[in-house]
Amino acid sequence: MFILDLKLCTGCRRCEVACSFYHFKLFSRKYSRIKVVKIEEIGIDAPVFCIQCKEKYCLNNCPQKALYTGDYGEITVDVKKCNGCNLCSLYCPIGAIEIIDGYPILCDLCQGNPECIKVCNTGALKIDENKKKAVSLHLNKFIMKKSPEEKRYNYIKKISKELRNKWKNRIMKENLCSDIQVND
Amino acid sequence: MFGYTGKRLIIDLTEHTYKVENIEESLLLSSIGGRGLNSVTLFNRLKPQTEPLSPESILLFGIGPLTGTCLPASARFTVSGKSPLTGILGDGNAGGHWASELKFAGFDQISISGKSNKWIYLFIFNGKVEFRNAEYLKGKDIFETTTLIRKELKDNSIQISAIGPASENLVKFGSISCNLTRIAARTGMGTIMGSKKLKAIALKGDIPVKIKHPDKFLKLSQLLDKKIESHPEFGRRKKMGTTMLISQLNKIGILPTNHFQNGINDYSDKISGETLSEKFNVKNKACFNCNLPCSRYFFTGEVEGEGPEYETLCGFTSRIGQKDLHFALKMNDYVNRMGLDSITLTEIIGWAMECIQKGILSFSDFDNLNLVWGNKKAIFELTRKIVYREGVGDILAEGVKKASEYFGKDSEKLALHVKGLEIICGDPRGIKGYGLTYAISSRGADHLRAEPFFELTCNKKEAKKRFGYEEAADRLEETGKPELVNYTEKIALLCDSITMCKNIGLCMDILDIQTCAELLNYGTGLNFNPSKLYETAEHIINIEREFNLREGLKPEEDTLPERFIKEPLKNGKSAGHTVNIKKMVDRYYEIKGWKK
């Protein structure tokens, strides 16, 4: 399991590049199991990947029972059982699974030694040594109607509020520029 | 193909049609990509004496063979055409995430000609092109345009390069921006887009990039990763990016102050990269696959955004005698949104202020704006007038050369440009190699054609070894500089062609010809050998020269504005110096075998 530190993510997408290269020997966001969302107008960058949520909507809604939990806690696909129906992707609240070339692809934790973490030199992505409890994700019909790209965007926008508030508070507290009004 | 897509997209905006051409292997070997491929294509395909803003004019977007791969800092694009500002070769170069997306969308180059009858934008997806209505985007700034297109296409991951109102209004130094604030600004390439009624190019691609020798390529890329991360400048560049130069240049007396009347000032600590970083920066930002995130996001509560880089920061502060950092950030935001070259713009403002200071021109020449050093209201208002070509803005929108010719009264002597392109913020009197670069650069007064950073290293031993003269490592010497520039202009060309960031490839001395050849060979599988690569770079530089001569450039234009030749700097660590430009240019011609 990873820890993501939003303020350290530069949006360089080295994690994407490393992921697709490690798994497929090519460079492509499409084939990457981690995808960076860049919300440029508010200065936010962050990767989205399977966080092995508490609910495991994908696994629990798979009609073929083709998804199971692997040795490192990752969600794994049994390609013999999977018929590419796309339900897992629809059920993922954050757009971390997509059907590519007929099968779902999602973070497989690289046998416990993730390539993305090796190339993240800012510390935005780290291994969670303390193995925190699984995070709970909310899902509803509104979210299910969105494309994976839109889900990722909405998810990051939501979790970025805290950091944006920190930036605002810092400016107000330190009174760095007395003639400035803080806009919401 | 490996590395390359091998495809060129040809757009006809008059007919709203497109076709895809294969790019021959021989052309790729002789022009590499990015700027090289663009310059050669422009030379071959643009009819001589074409009016830059006519439908026949061609605008080229080029990326490198290794763009979109794991090679660090290599996802830049070059946009080239005949400059509406200078009438010779024009190009701009930007990082961000647009270049890599062009590769994923299936192309090495886009060639655009014709003129649309109404405003449109292009949406390029996996090799296919849609011509989409942009009438509703007319007048919108670059931020609004980018956000609205992403909303319309319901995909925030779409990469967009766009122009702002300045280019729509055919201000001659309009820029093209991707990722909101990644800007190809020099020489008015955005203006060409504006003349064609092309508001933006949106990209999305799923086509993977494959490379010939993945393991060797990965290993070499990782080696470069390490070289970058262990470089002594890594930390400083990450903290401040190019804004670190404010205090550095002030220390050595070449920080343009009050329009190059001084090379030093007593308020640089208030506007420096250090101060910006401590007061307002909240995080780092990076271009595609770069491990040196030298871009910074600032947040003041009133204004926020990426940048500024050194040129814009210096341009809106000491160059025009303006001491308020926060105001400079607001102007950075404004020009980013409106889409114009901050170097050209702040030269115009500085020139106007000096003309008034010296009594050559008066306030009434500038619509009664109070253009005294650092006057914020006048700076903003003049900029706005230029963007909308209102009043005197209509004249200034032509650039400092034409504007000064219009006003006359010897104000031309204070217009600091080479070949019509306004000079950057580095006083050549204290960096002689840069002075030579401004003079001989194929796009006018600009440092990026050679970026002879080596002259600031004081590494005499290495200078002797590489260039034959110890003086090449001494910024105040003219000896050895033609030799230095002759070498670094090739590394710069290679950087622009493969397309690596010159801050990393050149200033941090990461890329040499041997490494470049290895990267190209492992990546593309084509046979680029190091000795041939040096010749290829020379060949492309000569083609750019031929292009300019064909468009009417005269060798005597390879010089500097009179100020730098005749007026010694008064204070600071470069005091007493002028540039003996003729001596350096003559030697440079000799090395190149160019005719006078």
Side-chain angles (χ1 to χ4, degrees):
Chain A
M1 181 112 88
F2 299 165
I3 311 178
L4 167 65
D5 191 339
L6 218 55
K7 70 174 182 296
L8 296 178
C9 181
T10 66
C12 68
R13 298 165 66 196
R14 283 167 64 81
C15 49
E16 274 180 24
V17 171
C19 180
S20 70
F21 190 75
Y22 175 72
H23 291 97
F24 299 98
K25 288 271 182 213
L26 44 80
F27 302 106
S28 165
R29 175 177 163 96
K30 178 181 165 184
Y31 288 94
S32 174
R33 295 147 190 256
I34 179 167
K35 289 187 170 74
V36 175
V37 171
K38 300 172 68 65
I39 312 181
E40 284 153 2
E41 56 277 20
I42 56 169
I44 295 295
D45 307 89
V48 177
F49 44 89
C50 173
I51 58 167
Q52 297 89 31
C53 66
K54 196 175 155 194
E55 292 79 9
K56 296 195 168 42
Y57 298 104
C58 54
L59 188 150
N60 291 325
N61 286 287
C62 176
Q64 304 296 319
K65 304 265 179 278
L67 296 174
Y68 59 96
T69 305
D71 297 345
Y72 300 94
E74 82 281 15
I75 311 279
T76 302
V77 187
D78 183 340
V79 290
K80 282 186 203 130
K81 287 185 185 168
C82 175
N83 64 359
C85 74
N86 198 38
L87 271 183
C88 53
S89 179
L90 285 177
Y91 272 99
C92 178
I94 61 171
I97 308 185
E98 277 182 272
I99 305 292
I100 305 291
D101 299 344
Y103 297 104
I105 70 163
L106 72 162
C107 175
D108 63 358
L109 294 175
C110 300
Q111 283 89 46
N113 193 11
E115 291 295 312
C116 52
I117 291 183
K118 290 186 204 163
V119 296
C120 182
N121 70 341
T122 65
L125 270 178
K126 274 188 205 143
I127 287 271
D128 177 11
E129 304 289 354
N130 302 322
K131 300 227 163 62
K132 269 192 283 181
K133 268 207 296 192
V135 176
S136 185
L137 289 176
H138 179 64
L139 180 69
N140 59 29
K141 277 186 187 158
F142 175 76
I143 296 173
M144 282 181 72
K145 278 185 191 152
K146 300 283 176 191
S147 71
E149 199 62 66
E150 288 172 293
K151 285 179 189 173
R152 291 191 282 269
Y153 175 86
N154 291 340
Y155 170 59
I156 296 301
K157 190 149 193 185
K158 199 173 137 194
I159 64 167
S160 69
K161 279 185 183 145
E162 197 188 325
L163 180 60
R164 299 261 319 158
N165 280 333
K166 270 188 194 158
W167 293 349
K168 281 176 201 165
N169 292 337
R170 173 179 176 266
I171 287 293
M172 288 200 291
K173 206 167 89 193
E174 298 187 14
N175 199 17
L176 291 167
C177 206
S178 53
D179 61 328
I180 293 173
Q181 297 282 310
V182 174
N183 304 320
D184 227 335
Chain B
M1 266 199 162
F2 295 95
Y4 294 106
T5 67
K7 306 257 185 258
R8 173 191 288 129
L9 174 63
I10 313 248
I11 303 274
D12 180 343
L13 286 173
T14 309
E15 302 295 332
H16 287 201
T17 55
Y18 72 96
K19 62 177 180 184
V20 178
E21 278 181 359
N22 290 323
I23 310 178
E24 316 85 65
E25 202 179 293
S26 59
L27 179 59
L28 295 174
L29 277 167
S30 63
S31 69
I32 307 163
R35 176 180 144 207
L37 181 61
N38 279 3
S39 293
V40 173
T41 310
L42 199 70
F43 182 76
N44 291 337
R45 299 197 174 192
L46 186 76
K47 231 177 99 196
Q49 311 308 321
T50 301
E51 156 52 38
L53 301 183
S54 68
E56 293 73 33
S57 184
I58 300 173
L59 189 66
L60 298 165
F61 289 85
I63 56 168
L66 309 173
T67 303
T69 70
C70 63
L71 177 64
S74 61
R76 300 184 70 86
F77 69 91
T78 296
V79 50
S80 315
K82 183 178 165 183
S83 166
L85 180 67
T86 64
I88 56 170
L89 177 69
D91 63 46
N93 179 297
H97 295 255
W98 191 86
S100 47
E101 203 67 22
L102 181 57
K103 177 69 70 70
F104 301 140
F107 300 105
D108 293 324
Q109 194 184 42
I110 310 177
S111 167
I112 298 170
S113 64
K115 180 183 177 172
S116 178
N117 54 1
K118 54 182 198 296
W119 283 95
I120 57 143
Y121 76 87
L122 300 174
F123 178 42
I124 304 171
F125 176 64
N126 288 354
K128 299 206 160 48
V129 184
E130 288 175 27
F131 295 78
R132 298 180 70 101
N133 171 42
E135 283 292 325
Y136 78 105
L137 297 168
K138 189 170 178 275
K140 297 272 189 262
D141 74 32
I142 284 165
F143 288 28
E144 292 164 334
T145 303
T146 306
T147 315
L148 285 166
I149 292 175
R150 283 177 174 156
K151 256 193 191 143
E152 186 195 328
L153 299 173
K154 288 193 179 157
D155 188 342
N156 181 66
S157 72
I158 285 172
Q159 299 299 339
I160 293 160
S161 63
I163 58 166
S167 292
E168 287 181 33
N169 299 330
L170 304 183
V171 172
K172 293 286 170 64
F173 43 99
S175 63
I176 300 171
S177 303
C178 63
N179 302 93
L180 307 185
T181 48
R182 292 307 183 143
I183 306 164
R186 300 240 73 188
T187 71
M189 294 299 105
T191 316
I192 302 183
M193 254 175 95
S195 74
K196 296 184 177 311
K197 294 205 169 180
L198 176 60
K199 183 69 175 164
I201 304 173
L203 302 172
K204 169 97 177 166
D206 286 336
I207 304 171
V209 186
K210 290 182 191 151
I211 43 181
K212 180 71 178 178
H213 303 291
D215 296 327
K216 283 183 187 167
F217 187 76
L218 179 68
K219 227 173 143 187
L220 188 49
S221 293
Q222 285 171 337
L223 189 79
L224 294 184
D225 272 351
K226 283 208 189 87
K227 258 177 120 173
I228 294 167
E229 279 162 29
S230 59
H231 195 280
E233 278 184 20
F234 183 88
R236 207 161 14 134
R237 285 189 180 268
K238 186 175 170 188
K239 184 183 172 202
M240 294 180 276
T242 52
T243 64
M244 68 182 185
L245 291 170
I246 294 264
S247 46
Q248 286 179 8
L249 299 200
N250 195 52
K251 255 183 223 149
I252 59 172
I254 56 166
L255 183 71
T257 301
N258 290 10
H259 195 233
F260 293 84
Q261 294 185 81
N262 257 313
I264 183 168
N265 65 56
D266 58 8
Y267 56 87
S268 70
D269 59 321
K270 291 192 174 63
I271 54 166
S272 66
E274 287 83 352
T275 304
L276 172 63
S277 146
E278 278 146 31
K279 264 186 144 176
F280 297 125
N281 288 352
V282 288
K283 63 171 269 192
N284 283 96
K285 301 270 285 180
C287 296
F288 180 85
N289 196 55
C290 187
N291 62 338
L292 203 184
C294 70
S295 183
R296 300 123 283 120
Y297 198 84
F298 70 85
F299 187 97
T300 78
E302 189 183 332
V303 61
E304 62 180 281
E306 205 180 340
E309 290 306 332
Y310 165 73
E311 289 295 335
T312 304
L313 183 57
C314 180
F316 283 113
T317 54
S318 66
R319 185 172 192 151
I320 55 175
Q322 200 285 114
K323 302 171 188 175
D324 179 353
L325 175 62
H326 190 247
F327 176 74
L329 296 179
K330 286 207 265 192
M331 287 308 296
N332 170 65
D333 182 64
Y334 185 69
V335 295
N336 283 349
R337 286 171 186 271
M338 296 297 133
L340 21 73
D341 179 358
S342 60
I343 303 175
T344 291
L345 173 69
T346 54
E347 165 55 24
I348 293 169
I349 298 171
W351 164 83
M353 287 174 169
E354 191 178 349
C355 286
I356 286 172
Q357 176 203 321
K358 300 229 156 113
I360 296 171
L361 298 173
S362 62
F363 292 119
S364 63
D365 288 317
F366 298 97
D367 299 350
N368 292 315
L369 292 175
N370 188 23
L371 284 165
V372 293
W373 298 111
N375 186 300
K376 295 183 213 174
K377 213 173 152 187
I379 292 165
F380 175 77
E381 194 51 24
L382 195 68
T383 304
R384 196 192 61 76
K385 276 172 175 275
I386 290 172
V387 170
Y388 293 100
R389 281 186 172 271
E390 261 178 45
V392 71
D394 195 33
I395 297 154
L396 302 179
E398 297 293 314
V400 81
K401 179 170 185 266
K402 297 247 172 73
S404 65
E405 283 164 6
Y406 172 88
F407 284 107
K409 302 180 191 169
D410 265 1
S411 71
E412 300 97 317
K413 281 193 179 156
L414 296 180
L416 303 179
H417 68 87
V418 176
K419 299 161 194 163
L421 187 69
E422 292 74 4
I423 199 165
I424 66 133
C425 292
D427 197 310
R429 287 168 286 191
I431 34 174
K432 307 289 171 72
Y434 278 85
L436 176 60
T437 307
Y438 305 159
I440 53 90
S441 148
S442 58
R443 69 172 180 184
D446 196 274
H447 56 308
L448 290 167
R449 279 297 196 257
E451 188 79 86
F453 205 73
F454 189 84
E455 71 172 333
L456 291 149
T457 60
C458 304
N459 192 345
K460 285 184 184 171
K461 221 172 122 190
E462 190 67 18
K464 174 90 182 158
K465 199 175 112 196
R466 287 203 208 176
F467 312 110
Y469 300 93
E470 285 188 351
E471 291 93 330
D474 183 340
R475 65 185 176 88
L476 294 169
E477 289 286 344
E478 276 132 13
T479 308
K481 295 306 161 63
E483 288 77 4
L484 168 63
V485 167
N486 181 50
Y487 173 77
T488 55
E489 70 174 4
K490 288 176 191 66
I491 301 294
L493 189 275
L494 292 173
C495 279
D496 285 339
S497 302
I498 69 166
T499 43
M500 190 181 250
C501 168
K502 286 193 287 281
N503 271 323
I504 290 176
L506 189 45
C507 297
M508 286 165 66
D509 214 1
I510 298 289
L511 196 71
D512 56 38
I513 294 204
Q514 181 67 34
T515 311
C516 190
E518 277 172 31
L519 286 168
L520 285 167
N521 292 339
Y522 298 158
T524 69
L526 303 180
N527 189 19
F528 288 95
N529 77 55
S531 61
K532 193 94 189 299
L533 211 50
Y534 192 81
E535 284 167 32
T536 303
E538 179 75 5
H539 174 67
I540 296 166
I541 288 162
N542 283 329
I543 283 187
E544 291 183 348
R545 178 74 178 176
E546 278 301 307
F547 179 92
N548 284 342
L549 293 174
R550 193 169 80 183
E551 295 301 327
L553 178 82
K554 307 248 171 357
E556 56 265 32
E557 290 176 74
D558 287 334
T559 186
L560 288 175
E562 204 178 272
R563 162 161 293 163
F564 304 119
I565 301 170
K566 289 189 176 161
E567 288 173 34
L569 274 164
K570 284 176 241 140
N571 305 304
K573 288 200 172 157
S574 302
H577 281 274
T578 54
V579 190
N580 187 345
I581 192 65
K582 193 171 176 305
K583 178 182 152 195
M584 286 194 289
V585 169
D586 284 351
R587 173 69 189 133
Y588 177 80
Y589 267 55
E590 209 176 284
I591 296 169
K592 299 234 92 59
W594 287 358
K595 282 191 205 103
K596 267 277 177 193

